[in-house]
Amino acid sequence: MNKYGHMRTIFFCLIFCISYNSNGQTINKTAYDYVNPLIGTQRMGHVFPGATVPFGMVQLSPDTDTLQYEVDGKYNKDVYKYCAGYQYEDKTIVGFSHTHFSGTGHSDLGDFLIMPTQGPIQLNPGTAQNPENGYRSKFSHATEKATPGYYKVDLEDHNITAEMTASARVGVHKYTFHEAGPSHIILDLMHGIYNYEDKNVWTFVQVKDEYTVTGYRQTNGWARNRVVYFALRFSKPISNYGCAKYDKKEVYRGFWGKFDQKTNFPEQAGKQLRMYFDFNMAQDEALEIQMALSSVSPAGALANLGAETSSKNFDQVKADAKKLWDSELAKVTMKGAEDDMVNFYTALYHALLTPIIYQDADGKYKGLDQNIHEAKGFKNYTIFSLWDTYRALHPLFNVIQPKRNNDMIQSMMAHYKQSAMHMLPVWSHYANENWCMIGYHSVSVIADAIMKDVFAGDANAALEACATTARNRKFDGLGYYMDLGYIPEDKSGSSVSKVLEFAYDDWCIHEMAKKLGRYDIMKEFSARINNFKNVFDPAVGFMRPKLADGSFKKEFDPLDTHGQGFIEGNAWNYSLYVPQDVPALITLLGGKAKFEKYLDDLFNNELPDKYFAQTEDITRDGIIGNYVHGNEPSHHVAYLYNWTDSPWKTQEKVRMIIKNQYKNGPDGLSGNDDCGQMSAWYLFTAMGFYPVCPGSDQYQLGSPLVESASIQLENGKTFSIKVKNQGPKNVYVKSITWMGYPWKEKYINHSMIQQGGELVFEMSAKK
Amino acid sequence: MNKYGHMRTIFFCLIFCISYNSNGQTINKTAYDYVNPLIGTQRMGHVFPGATVPFGMVQLSPDTDTLQYEVDGKYNKDVYKYCAGYQYEDKTIVGFSHTHFSGTGHSDLGDFLIMPTQGPIQLNPGTAQNPENGYRSKFSHATEKATPGYYKVDLEDHNITAEMTASARVGVHKYTFHEAGPSHIILDLMHGIYNYEDKNVWTFVQVKDEYTVTGYRQTNGWARNRVVYFALRFSKPISNYGCAKYDKKEVYRGFWGKFDQKTNFPEQAGKQLRMYFDFNMAQDEALEIQMALSSVSPAGALANLGAETSSKNFDQVKADAKKLWDSELAKVTMKGAEDDMVNFYTALYHALLTPIIYQDADGKYKGLDQNIHEAKGFKNYTIFSLWDTYRALHPLFNVIQPKRNNDMIQSMMAHYKQSAMHMLPVWSHYANENWCMIGYHSVSVIADAIMKDVFAGDANAALEACATTARNRKFDGLGYYMDLGYIPEDKSGSSVSKVLEFAYDDWCIHEMAKKLGRYDIMKEFSARINNFKNVFDPAVGFMRPKLADGSFKKEFDPLDTHGQGFIEGNAWNYSLYVPQDVPALITLLGGKAKFEKYLDDLFNNELPDKYFAQTEDITRDGIIGNYVHGNEPSHHVAYLYNWTDSPWKTQEKVRMIIKNQYKNGPDGLSGNDDCGQMSAWYLFTAMGFYPVCPGSDQYQLGSPLVESASIQLENGKTFSIKVKNQGPKNVYVKSITWMGYPWKEKYINHSMIQQGGELVFEMSAKK
């Protein structure tokens, strides 16, 4: 059963150690070496520091706390801190769980927490204040090491060194017990992120043999109806094991009550279970644990274990994970200042975490309709934070990961087919729609891929799915929008944000329909793409909520984020959200000069503190003037100066934002990374171009941060950026050449990237 | 979508009506006509009157009440009345649910209750006292009709005629609305049998289109971990639908809260849901509903619907169900007095209900390990009430259903392979072991099939499974039994019953091992088969519980059923439980004469009333003297006179029992039918022979009730019983011939049955 040991080789260590000198410093740093997964783990970044592979289903990471979310009217605001389970300033680790979102502003997951301990068994986690009262342990950042696919820390209270690595579907633990003696592995099935009393709908465990445990956890959380199956294998036999139930109300026992189910009883079921497994450990002996996940069944998890890791030991899985990261990170080669390289490659790392693979090794997965589906001709992905990621992450994938992005769209189409609402995903994870945020931005992702010829599936079926989604009158004010051309704020809140984003999405549908010759759909949506005009109030010069009677809502504060008809943005920021028709926006705002003044005011007028308290998901640093970078609605805004006579202001602003908002340090992210969107913004911007309007084939040019960058395209070609006279003060673009010829446009096209070539910026300190 | 109507024909009606005259009386009654599913629906029979096919997965039957089972210390004793959901004396019907046990003494199931109503929507069921306050309806037995595979009743409060039929996996409803107007179908997912507040772990519903609804119900009940999926199809489109949630605590809503989920919202999830579907019905218009079940997925249920009923209308499914019953009932042809024919064919009907098929049309099913398995080379069955059914029902199957019995054993073997306890089923249903009652009587079923050459699988693997099961030290006192040869009553209750039944099961293993040449196992178990002797106390002449110190428990009342070391039987009855070695039992009880006296006393000494109150699961009529027929431990007892010099007493007693304990009427069963065991006892006994010791190939001869009976064997041969000079007083067997030759033994062998032939009894009124 234990196959971990016999294939151990020193081979990998030899190969990988040679680039390190005796102080553990790298001599020839690779992209891998620049990545620092701890960036963004403090405050608002909400990323996790643990082990995962690119787009991997398992994110095996330390949880420093979770703080229960109360229901029935009570809401523990601090739970928000723990969207990724980890906060850098914490002093204790509860344990290591297997699933984590990266950078979200709401959360879920945290499945199957494992914690090693020694001494008397403690089955409650204890508190950060009194870790000794539970199984958690103090830790120090001094012993912490986080690299792509690998995490290490010393658990001080138990004198155990914990190491984590992962394959796509398996989390692999290695616990070195520095003291000999009776030791325990706790498997806490009650643990979870954004947890509350009734979140566990059911849990089930079977101890199959002395090495193997299977089971599942079913939750009612942000995903309303989620089941994750597991198969766990220890590297040495369990000597004894047990289970404690913490159900507040005793679950019906029936005739199971005739057994002593507490110790060495191989089948457990209930809502609140904690298992423990005992091992006798020698001094400095390591126990390895492989924990595979599946959405299908325990057998699916076992098969994933067999397909990925069961013939490997920890070091082999770790080496495989590094290889995967090396390969993905190598798709973009960047040179620049040392800190910029750290930020760039860390952003690239964060951009390659989400969406995650969501299918077993054999292609099967559980769908929204609760059926087991098989992904045929594509790989199925989940975790679509689309309100965030349609802006830059999916466009980035169209450049550096087109095959995967195509699979992601096929996954969205599968979601659509399984959806009782007959809708493409809005914010979906683990075969659940969670309906977070607004818009139907799958449409943008699909349009961007179709317009850029990335999508290899049935484009007409995808267009139909987009149109059907956009016709769902039950969805979030959409019925009003279809009938009235706007959404009455008194009927459906955040009405202006919805109208602006619906109108953009409708433009995406319109463009696809045009390209595909579906003039019926084009005509249907042509009436909708100008709906943004219906919520502009020329009297105040802002987008402004209307009421059911057609009048504008009287109380209106364009600086306030709350209750004004917007979401995660105030009227100042959100009024600029017409990426599909900037000229029309400029006209609304009074012409080019007034438009430029509007942008200047946005960046220059400091947001009074009283408004900051209401601004979600970001730190104070996440705001420049009144421009909010930590939330997404403004991500295109700095590039809008390209439509004015002062494109140098775009160059100036993006360099300012990139400098202020992305730092090399645990607190390096000013807002939620949002499944890679913040990082994707950084990557594009650092390379000097940005997709202001996904669904068009244009990228607006800004001011590159890099000295050079080159992208290895999947078509075998290379698209390079070369920057002459780069420097912190040389933020202005003096001239550009493309393939050696002068390039006078303020944008480049996707086809230029696809054909490969070199884009050369010459920089200057002068505007 | 609606394919129900177009294949309607009058054809079947013509064929099947010709045997009825104008008064609806049958002229040439077939076996089908004799069956009365209402027998046993009153008081203790616990059978259901609704529609099912032989061994069908769906039992679509009216629930007249369920009465909630309280947990946390409270236990509503009346809930026991409703093990099958129906009590004949009730005046109201709550609705029609799709799963019911037949004749059990504990319960579960009652999934997916459907009820048609008219007028204002009422979503609570109301009470029997005030049916007008809920959706339930008054009904009268005058409008009720129950035949195999068909049930009909008028719902008086709603003026609706309800008809039910079924295929193996689909329940088919037909509701004729006698008044035009807005009408409703209620789908109550909260309803259940042996229900309690938290029994519903989760329910999920998707409205797929205007005809189709899918979903599941997950429960924590007698089956600890059970999920049933459904797919429902209406014969006309839904006009509107809605959902009400009754969760005491609000289930976490997340962003689903932004929708109005109450009306026409196509996806629902929660613990306590009731759905309703509206239809506009014309006067006397019928609405048909097909509800398919699956243990695999909603897609599995839909596929079952497609495979079985979706191309048929109600009348076609009903005709198919009748054909299946005609075919199964035709395997035994019996002639006798009119009431006896009713009782005989009704017993045959009840014997062909359980175990039920438990796999989708494609062979897939969910196993105990929560994986989806495919039954290859056999059909998978569930509901194994083995403490009851090993005695006569499975032996009966070895005669009339050997192929199915072989499949049932394969199903037990699949259970064994999926069991974390590594045990064959004890009392199992729906991929759950519920551990009800005692012993490991799968072993007896397997031994009986192997000894009679019915089992076609891997006999050695089956023997290993039996031995492994019998070695599980965690199981119910078995560790003590293995160490001490008895079970201390102070360590594990009902200790004597367990010892007696373990010893019998061990004998079964011993016999199989002998036959298969596994002398190692034979030797291992030879030490255990005499353990019954260890709990016999010669001082009192009864089996008697011992304590851990080896002494007999002092307080001892051989008439009392409770707290005396027995279960569902007192010492008087249970002391006779050594079917594998009656001669040794006779020796223990003091020799043949004393043994006969013991039996006489058992039958003749009236049990004082104070003890009856403690006797479970039976009516007062279920006791003859102190012999308790309504519980199973005595089922072999009347045949034990065959080992005395007065075998005529066996003949007398079995005729007395059969006359007293089985009657043509709703109250015709004196105790729980126990998944067909009581009926199987009747069938054997009525034909004049009985398997006193399953695992041997002998049947003890009694006194036939029939005038003639013949069994069509699967090998093409016919085994017949012919009875000369039959009559109510001619209960004594004067002589027997086999194939025309005198037969002097008190038993027949299984091989005689298998070779076919005629057994002729000549009866007499003289002892």
Side-chain angles (χ1 to χ4, degrees), chain A residues 341-589:
Chain A
M341 290 184 76
V342 170
N343 288 336
F344 188 95
Y345 281 115
T346 300
L348 184 56
Y349 168 80
H350 282 144
L352 301 175
L353 298 177
T354 315
I356 63 165
I357 194 80
Y358 179 70
Q359 61 173 47
D360 283 355
D362 65 359
K364 291 195 176 145
Y365 66 97
K366 181 172 285 184
L368 282 82
D369 54 6
Q370 305 303 303
N371 291 318
I372 303 304
H373 295 266
E374 187 175 346
K376 287 182 182 161
F378 70 103
K379 281 192 181 172
N380 194 58
Y381 286 82
T382 194
I383 307 183
F384 289 103
S385 180
L386 289 161
W387 182 79
D388 305 297
T389 57
Y390 82 92
R391 300 168 200 266
L393 183 68
H394 287 283
L396 179 72
F397 292 159
N398 280 339
V399 178
I400 66 171
Q401 297 279 353
K403 274 190 197 151
R404 276 194 219 268
N405 203 46
N406 181 60
D407 283 354
M408 289 167 190
I409 292 171
Q410 302 278 21
S411 307
M412 293 175 187
M413 287 297 290
H415 173 119
Y416 167 75
K417 287 169 197 160
Q418 296 155 15
S419 154
M421 291 285 278
H422 306 298
M423 287 187 76
L424 287 159
V426 171
W427 208 127
S428 68
H429 68 286
Y430 285 82
N432 275 268
E433 177 57 77
N434 65 44
W435 303 115
C436 185
M437 299 306 296
I438 58 170
Y440 31 86
H441 299 306
S442 285
V443 158
S444 165
V445 176
I446 291 171
D448 201 47
I450 286 179
M451 301 312 281
K452 291 171 180 168
D453 293 323
V454 165
F455 184 55
D458 182 340
N460 274 292
L463 173 61
E464 287 286 1
C466 291
T468 302
T469 299
R471 289 181 195 123
N472 192 320
R473 304 181 66 89
K474 277 200 158 276
F475 177 66
D476 214 11
L478 189 50
Y480 295 112
Y481 174 89
M482 291 166 72
D483 292 338
L484 306 172
Y486 73 98
I487 300 170
E489 177 70 14
D490 44 346
K491 299 291 185 185
S492 180
S494 306
S495 62
V496 185
S497 294
K498 291 174 190 172
V499 168
L500 295 175
E501 297 189 15
F502 288 165
Y504 160 71
D505 287 334
D506 291 343
W507 173 84
C508 290
I509 296 173
H510 181 270
E511 293 302 292
M512 274 186 280
K514 196 194 309 178
K515 177 164 178 168
L516 297 171
R518 283 297 303 273
Y519 302 116
D520 54 332
I521 292 178
M522 193 180 111
K523 187 177 170 210
E524 176 186 353
F525 284 84
S526 66
R528 293 165 54 155
I529 61 181
N530 288 312
N531 278 345
F532 66 90
K533 295 177 183 171
N534 300 337
V535 287
F536 183 78
D537 181 5
V540 296
F542 291 105
M543 303 290 179
R544 178 172 182 179
K546 271 184 178 166
L547 302 177
D549 65 6
S551 68
F552 284 105
K553 182 169 175 286
K554 281 195 185 130
E555 307 73 26
F556 181 61
D557 181 344
L559 287 171
D560 193 349
T561 305
H562 284 267
Q564 303 298 318
F566 301 93
I567 184 165
E568 291 201 17
N570 58 20
W572 265 100
N573 281 273
Y574 240 119
S575 291
L576 295 165
Y577 197 75
V578 190
Q580 73 277 23
D581 195 351
V582 179
L585 174 65
I586 290 172
T587 303
L588 283 182
L589 288 175

Side-chain angles (χ1 to χ4, degrees), chain B residues 146 209 252:
Chain B
D209 59 41
Y252 178 77

Side-chain angles (χ1 to χ4, degrees), chain B residues 40-41 43 45-50 59-66 79-87 97 99-110 191 193-194:
Chain B
T41 58
R43 300 196 295 169
H46 290 187
V47 295
F48 61 84
Q59 305 82 29
L60 176 52
S61 190
D63 292 336
T64 57
D65 228 321
T66 56
V79 77
Y80 169 81
K81 273 174 72 178
Y82 292 97
C83 282
Y86 182 96
Q87 277 291 349
S97 71
T99 53
H100 296 83
F101 286 127
S102 180
T104 54
H106 193 295
S107 203
D108 205 344
L109 318 183
H191 177 90
I193 295 175
Y194 253 71

Side-chain angles (χ1 to χ4, degrees), chain B residues 69 251 254 267 269 288 350 388 542 599 713:
Chain B
Y69 181 112
V251 170
E267 188 174 304
E288 294 189 12
H350 282 143
D388 304 297
F542 291 106
L599 293 173
L713 301 168

